[in-house]
Amino acid sequence: LAVVRFKDEAEAIAKAKMPKDVEERAQREMGRYERMPSLSPESAIARTYLEWLTEVPWSKRTRDKLDLKKARKILDEDHYGLERVKERILEFLAVRKLSKSTRGPVLCLVGPPGVGKTSLGRSIARAMGRKFVRVSLGGVRDEAEIRGHRRTYIGAMPGRILQSMKKVEVVNPVFMLDEVDKMSVDFRGDPSAALLEVLDPEQNRNFSDHYLEIDYDLHEVFFITTANSEYYIPEALLDRMEVVRLSGYSPFEKVRIAEQYLIPKQVGEAGLTEKQIKFTREGLEFAIYRYTQEAGVRELERQIAKLCRKVAHRIVEKKAPKKAVQIDSAMVQELLGPPEYPAVEPHL
């Protein structure tokens, strides 16, 4: 029975391909676990610790795709405009291709809500051929969220960094830390100070999680952070990042984004087809100027979704014509009600 009990853990340690010092630690913990009675509370704690040691990635990685033409194509497919941001990403990939260095600046995408900061991180991962993982830091106020809890506490577990590394299963993902400007500080510690060790390339080779109590190498991770305003990011943290600003979209860019991305997406989600609904340029401009007033396109997408739902409702109730419903300015006002913002002279 004892052999069966410990067989899985021993095999997991052998397959994990850990660094030598980590494997020695795992073998010591395995020895302690074998000597414990099976019904002891300490036995469950030791087993959980061994599971974390073996399930966190130590050597598995994806191979980078550093073809700049394909990367440019992917970025253009996923995002309209944002030329300065795309150029900066391509510069990073070019340097990686020439130097083969894993070190590099941490990009901080700063811009108003709805301009595509998070989706840009996914596009970067797709362009590089890496896995993508995202952690939202909004409202985090406990240092243990980053570094984990000591094993002496009941219910202790690693911090969000190692939890995400376990989830993504490779040592070199694109790791997005969202809303880095919305962390708080209270009596439980300063999470932004704990992030310094994560984001500083001089320190993150030896990131120390309180739960594992061993150094974990994060230097191959490509970290990206996002924020709505750089003024709320702690100065010491900001000093370790390169700020890339996304200022927002012009009305002309919003029209193109709506035509290429938002309308096809929302028409499909409403169960409609192109034969049932058609957005005119005039209708789009009217919706942009009279129903939205934002730097991004989040509210515009909500209004397009609302238009699609109302057309779907009319089709189900057989109140719509057999041909495609034309979404012009008159139809927009009929479906959405009185305009929310005063008329302005368009300059598209």
Side-chain angles (χ1 to χ4, degrees):
L1 290 175
V3 173
V4 173
R5 178 187 169 198
F6 305 125
K7 183 179 179 181
D8 292 343
E9 288 79 5
E11 288 180 352
I13 292 172
K15 291 179 181 178
K17 296 181 180 179
M18 303 172 179
K20 186 177 179 181
D21 58 329
V22 179
E23 187 172 355
E24 290 174 356
R25 176 66 180 269
Q27 293 293 355
R28 287 199 303 273
E29 290 294 327
M30 185 67 187
R32 290 182 62 246
Y33 177 50
E34 289 174 348
R35 294 191 296 271
M36 292 178 185
S38 59
L39 298 179
S40 167
E42 279 288 323
S43 176
I45 294 173
R47 177 165 184 164
T48 303
Y49 180 73
L50 285 170
E51 287 175 352
W52 273 103
L53 271 184
T54 54
E55 291 174 4
V56 167
W58 296 101
S59 57
K60 186 179 178 182
R61 56 177 53 79
T62 54
R63 181 173 294 182
D64 285 352
K65 299 175 183 177
L66 300 176
D67 187 327
L68 296 191
K69 288 185 179 179
K70 287 186 178 178
R72 163 66 79 173
K73 183 179 179 182
I74 288 171
L75 292 172
D76 287 340
E77 282 177 0
D78 293 348
H79 294 84
Y80 182 83
L82 303 178
E83 292 303 321
R84 290 179 61 187
V85 180
K86 291 177 183 176
E87 207 57 43
R88 179 64 190 86
I89 294 164
L90 293 174
E91 288 170 6
F92 173 82
L93 296 180
V95 170
R96 284 295 303 272
K97 188 169 185 177
L98 292 176
S99 70
K100 303 295 182 182
S101 171
T102 56
R103 290 184 57 181
V106 176
L107 298 183
C108 180
L109 307 178
V110 176
V115 296
K117 298 186 293 297
T118 303
S119 59
L120 191 59
R122 296 183 187 276
S123 298
I124 293 171
R126 195 157 74 92
M128 296 180 71
R130 291 191 178 194
K131 291 189 174 184
F132 177 80
V133 63
R134 170 185 170 272
V135 169
S136 178
L137 298 176
V140 170
R141 62 185 66 190
D142 187 355
E143 183 187 350
E145 293 275 356
I146 308 298
R147 288 190 181 275
H149 305 85
R150 299 285 182 186
R151 277 193 291 157
T152 51
Y153 295 106
I154 295 174
M157 60 192 307
R160 292 194 184 188
I161 302 300
L162 286 191
Q163 288 181 38
S164 300
M165 294 301 292
K166 175 188 172 184
K167 178 182 176 182
V168 81
E169 298 180 337
V170 291
V171 297
N172 63 339
V174 172
F175 199 126
M176 173 160 280
L177 296 166
D178 231 345
E179 299 174 338
V180 75
D181 58 331
K182 293 183 175 63
M183 291 185 293
S184 305
V185 180
D186 67 3
F187 65 93
R188 289 170 288 190
D190 184 358
S192 65
L195 273 183
L196 295 179
E197 188 180 3
V198 175
L199 299 180
D200 192 331
E202 298 293 337
Q203 302 180 50
N204 63 11
R205 283 179 178 269
N206 306 107
F207 172 67
S208 176
D209 185 273
H210 288 161
Y211 182 83
L212 291 188
E213 296 178 335
I214 53 177
D215 292 339
Y216 189 82
D217 191 349
L218 294 171
H219 83 279
E220 292 188 60
V221 179
F222 181 21
F223 286 104
I224 304 173
T225 64
T226 71
N228 294 137
S229 172
E230 63 190 273
Y231 301 107
Y232 297 103
I233 303 175
E235 189 173 348
L237 196 58
L238 188 64
D239 183 57
R240 285 158 172 81
M241 301 186 291
E242 178 182 338
V243 175
V244 180
R245 293 178 179 83
L246 288 73
S247 57
Y249 301 107
S250 67
F252 172 76
E253 289 175 323
K254 288 182 181 180
V255 169
R256 297 298 299 271
I257 291 168
E259 291 174 341
Q260 293 183 25
Y261 307 103
L262 306 183
I263 291 175
K265 176 184 174 184
Q266 294 303 327
V267 167
E269 289 189 0
L272 301 173
T273 65
E274 294 179 356
K275 295 180 180 179
Q276 295 172 306
I277 185 171
K278 183 176 181 181
F279 285 80
T280 66
R281 176 65 67 90
E282 176 209 2
L284 270 178
E285 292 175 7
F286 189 76
I288 289 169
Y289 280 104
R290 304 301 302 275
Y291 292 89
T292 67
Q293 202 172 59
E294 56 173 352
V297 291
R298 196 168 289 164
E299 182 61 28
L300 176 60
E301 184 173 13
R302 281 194 283 264
Q303 297 295 351
I304 291 172
K306 190 175 180 181
L307 289 167
C308 291
R309 289 196 304 271
K310 289 187 176 294
V311 170
H313 187 201
R314 291 190 174 193
I315 290 174
V316 171
E317 290 191 341
K318 299 181 180 179
K319 294 180 181 179
K322 293 183 178 180
K323 59 182 182 179
V325 178
Q326 297 285 327
I327 306 296
D328 54 17
S329 58
M331 182 59 72
V332 169
Q333 190 161 352
E334 180 183 337
L335 295 176
L336 297 183
E340 299 180 19
Y341 302 101
V344 294
E345 188 67 27
H347 297 285
L348 293 179

